[in-house]
């Protein structure tokens, strides 16, 4: 099957801005991201509150499960993005138009804020303080032996980690969801489980490998970082750009990779 | 396939009150809820009695498993509700008539009482006291340094948590069970497992995130809260309305969401 | 498909007593139950011997796994009962004849004795004393501050627990194995896993919820209680009838439930 | 179907060196191996950093998962090797030409270096020191009571372990991926999961069975050993040849085994 050359107009898809269905579908993105942020942040807080020696493991397992479930829940309505990284890379690789991606990302950001508000309503302010509302922090200010000190990761290192983890996320899981033949071969449930597990492992790895208190691990979802940062403010804004710029760079690198790599598995064809 | 406009008469389904099959099916709801209440409450007590640092994790895992199994067990007979939230939201979204939902909810309440009675028969009164029969409490009266004090969650906060958790429950799991295409794509077992897991995670999150002793976590099933409250009475009645009003608000919000969102996944259709 | 009214002769199935295949199949029941008793009792002993704070959890998990595996192993030969509760309720609900159930139960009892003998051959007598051969006890005689005292559960409470747990076992798991449509929908492996898990949870719950030393938890399998009682005797005979009468009552109640409930899921038929 | 005698020219496949698709596919091998090395090494570090009594179990589970996912991700593009052992044995058994295997192995080595560089960029130098960048070590120099001492495994023992583990890896998992009938019977996902699990078990076994500090377990992937050795140098070069020679011997032995064994499963044919 021949693909006609995609014009710029089609790539941008500006006419989709008037498509009411996209706006209705974006509601699923909004509520999905709100649910995700509320669930993720309560999981972060609960895991650390729990008296266990391996809070990171508990956290990662539950992140994997909740992400899988929410992707399955929103897939039939909006395509199951609930993450600006997925929407942006989907637009870059031609899965959906840039207009739709922009609408989705806006909805996801709103959802992130909604989720953070819902969380703020139910936790005590002391818990809110201790865990920064479960948000994405590079470093936190804590009481040291001689006055308050700042502990955490350097911004450069965090940016690198964000780029690498986002690329691994795209390369190891999203790639399968974008490739129609892969989705057909593996099935939708398997793909969503793989995306969830890869995210869970990246959360586990990024929080432990740096071995740095104050750094909350790779964000891997700018919308979920934006919500707590807006609601709680303060040190959550420090280096907040990292959680947007890192994934963006990874998305562009990933889009270039998908253009270079052969689209037909020649190995199979030869036989 | 065209859907004929559903008349009010059909929505209410008053003629179903004479359908003997519905009354027979409600027996499954009754016994299912009784089993659920007995199992849930013994799990709550056992988990806290067990000398582990992570009783919440143990509890949540078992809640997830037992709910999944009971849904699978009652599904072919009554549709597998065993929870007034599911019956009410099923009626609101047009999955079943309001009459049937009302009969089911009545059966579930009776089952909740039966389960609580069965539990009362096998535990010692000291265990019954300590754990409030495994019921839904907002706050408990406990011995403080200067006479008895009340510890627990504020009613307003508990109501918020109940609404948010019920909505997450409906949005992330029940939605899949209600959407015929989703059930077909995922399979009945997967849907029941997802419902069980989401409930388990919500129990874990709601009990730890508030970090408040005396609050037993989000109810997420009014019938299971009613049983122990009726049998044991006392402080279990304080704020009992929260466990009914919270889910009810969430059900209405969820029903509105399902009306707004596009019913056909246009993304797939376009290709 | 119409079912012809089953005559008493067919229900009793007295001619099956001459069917050599049933006797050969009962060998699988005998060896299955022997393996089960040996495995269960070593698991009980190992779990308590292991230096962990949660022996009950370890025990329950292993019970769930071993029961699942043995059911899968014996299913193609005898139908996978290895438990008088299953054989008796199968006869009551018309799954098999009373003659076959009686032969199976005899084989299971013999198997229980064989398993207890095998266990006695490999453990030291001190271990045998401490754990009552892993048998079903209501109370044990132990050294108190003023001479030997009896600790354990009251017989009435134990009977209630036995009835309720057996009914939950039948309602939540066996029901699925008996309903042909359920087995088709879920698959044989899933059904066996569910039976194993439900048994595991009931073991966990019944041992912890009573919080009583000396009570070994609900029996849930008279054949496994009979073996150690015969081999070891003594206090294992005290209240041994509870482990037979409790399940029997539950089986009758369950059989009545299956008669009342509608056999066709009318919900699905209406659509 | 008759197979024409494969000429040396076809086996070498020198003309494939000009095939641009193979070079483009090797990009997937390069990035796949980079992701693998980054993920594996962070998992090694994270697992040991985590305060758990069973770091080996955590490590093995995650190795199994990440290997499965990366094989699934790269399969449709390059055939999913991301391991010189697989490429080399594929060439030896005639699955692909030697030219292609050589190009792939080169890409994998470059990927290994890239992954090690990415890791070096995000971890602190203290972590880098302690864990040798998660590389393959036979022995490490550590501070003893009287000056620095060398602890670890003897080179001969390590070579044996490397040969045996590599052969088990090829025999128990890769064999299924190479046999077309097996892939058809089990499905691609199952085969990739089996390869992942076998690798995970070998990691677990090789790290615990030796019970030797300083030995990082069987390498089982020369490319992943090369990266950290090149970037970090020092004692990682000591005995580095073991991680190349061991698998190479195993590949040759495996290729001989596949020639001897009957190609048609006669057992099936007889029926």
């Amino acid at each position: 099957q021949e693909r006609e050359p995609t014009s710029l107009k089609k790539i941008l898809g500006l006419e989709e801005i008037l498509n009411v269905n996209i706006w209705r579908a974006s509601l699923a993105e909004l509520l999905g991201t709100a649910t995700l942020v509320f669930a993720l942040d309560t999981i972060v807080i609960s895991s650390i509150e729990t008296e266990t020696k391996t809070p990171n493991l508990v956290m990662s397992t539950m992140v994997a499960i909740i992400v899988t479930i929410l992707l399955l829940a929103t897939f039939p309505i909006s395509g199951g993005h609930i993450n600006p990284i997925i929407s942006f890379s989907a637009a870059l690789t031609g899965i959906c138009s840039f207009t739709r991606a922009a609408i989705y990302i806006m909805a996801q950001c709103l959802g992130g804020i909604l989720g953070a508000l819902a969380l703020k309503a139910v936790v005590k302010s002391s818990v809110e303080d201790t865990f920064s509302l479960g948000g994405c922090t590079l470093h936190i200010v804590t009481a040291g032996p001689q006055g308050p000190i700042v502990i955490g990761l350097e911004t450069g290192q965090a940016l690198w980690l964000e780029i690498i983890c986002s690329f691994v996320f795209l390369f190891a899981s999203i790639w399968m969801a974008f490739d129609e033949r892969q989705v057909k071969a593996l099935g939708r449930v398997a793909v969503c489980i793989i995306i969830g597990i890869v995210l869970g492992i990246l959360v586990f790895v990024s929080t432990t490998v740096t071995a740095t208190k104050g750094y909350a691990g790779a964000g891997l979802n700018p919308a979920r970082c934006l919500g707590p940062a807006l609601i709680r403010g303060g040190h959550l804004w420090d280096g907040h750009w990292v959680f947007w710029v890192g994934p963006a760079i990874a998305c562009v690198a990933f889009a270039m990779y998908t253009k270079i790599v052969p689209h037909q598995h020649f190995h199979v064809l030869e036989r």
Side-chain angles (χ1 to χ4, degrees), chain A:
Chain A
Q1 293 136 26
E2 192 83 27
R3 277 206 185 184
E4 46 178 313
T6 38
S7 62
L8 186 69
K9 197 184 149 197
K10 203 173 170 190
I11 290 171
L12 286 178
L14 279 176
E15 75 284 1
E16 288 200 337
I17 215 162
L18 298 171
N19 187 338
V20 75
N21 270 337
I22 287 180
W23 290 96
R24 281 159 74 191
S26 75
L27 186 66
E29 289 293 313
L30 192 154
L31 285 174
T33 316
T35 308
L36 181 76
V37 167
F38 180 77
L40 279 186
D41 292 357
T42 47
I43 284 169
V44 168
I45 295 173
S46 303
S47 302
I48 301 175
E49 284 273 281
T50 301
E51 249 186 86
T52 170
K53 282 184 188 154
T54 55
N56 290 355
L57 261 181
V58 174
M59 196 200 300
S60 311
T61 310
M62 290 217 250
V63 165
I65 294 170
I66 203 78
V67 167
T68 303
I69 290 172
L70 285 174
L71 286 177
L72 283 171
T74 54
F75 177 83
I77 300 163
S78 64
H81 293 194
I82 60 170
N83 189 336
I85 296 185
I86 301 182
S87 297
F88 188 43
S89 60
L92 283 175
T93 53
I95 302 286
C96 74
S97 72
F98 276 90
T99 304
R100 187 197 296 237
I103 295 172
Y104 276 16
I105 292 174
M106 265 167 45
Q108 287 153 6
C109 289
L110 274 173
I113 297 165
L114 210 71
L117 276 172
L119 182 65
K120 195 186 162 72
V122 297
V123 295
K124 283 188 294 187
S125 58
S126 67
V127 171
E128 195 187 321
D129 273 0
T130 319
F131 300 101
S132 312
L133 255 183
C136 309
T137 55
L138 292 184
H139 28 251
I140 53 170
V141 180
T142 188
Q146 284 116 17
I149 53 163
V150 174
I151 55 170
L153 209 66
E154 281 169 50
T155 310
Q157 227 174 345
L159 182 60
W160 260 119
L161 202 58
E162 197 70 30
I163 294 173
I164 294 169
C165 286
S166 300
F167 187 82
V168 171
F169 175 53
L170 289 162
F171 179 80
S173 60
I174 298 305
W175 172 245
M176 291 187 214
F178 284 178
D179 191 340
E180 280 169 54
R181 279 162 303 133
Q182 284 273 59
V183 173
K184 225 171 265 173
L186 301 173
R188 189 207 301 177
V189 181
V191 167
C192 288
I193 289 173
I194 287 171
I195 294 176
I197 288 175
V198 169
L199 256 183
I201 288 179
L202 287 172
V203 166
F204 176 69
V205 155
S206 69
T207 48
T208 42
V209 87
T210 56
T212 315
K213 292 216 164 177
Y215 176 60
L220 292 170
N221 188 339
R224 94 162 176 94
C225 296
L226 183 70
L230 261 172
I231 301 304
R232 184 131 180 88
H235 65 285
L236 279 167
W237 280 116
D238 298 346
H240 180 69
W241 60 272
V242 164
F243 300 110
W244 287 90
V245 173
I249 293 172
C251 284
V252 172
F254 174 68
M256 280 163 61
Y257 163 74
T258 60
K259 301 292 183 222
I260 295 170
V261 138
H263 276 261
Q264 293 282 339
H265 186 188
F266 58 97
H267 186 66
V268 168
L269 292 180
E270 275 169 9
R271 285 208 183 165

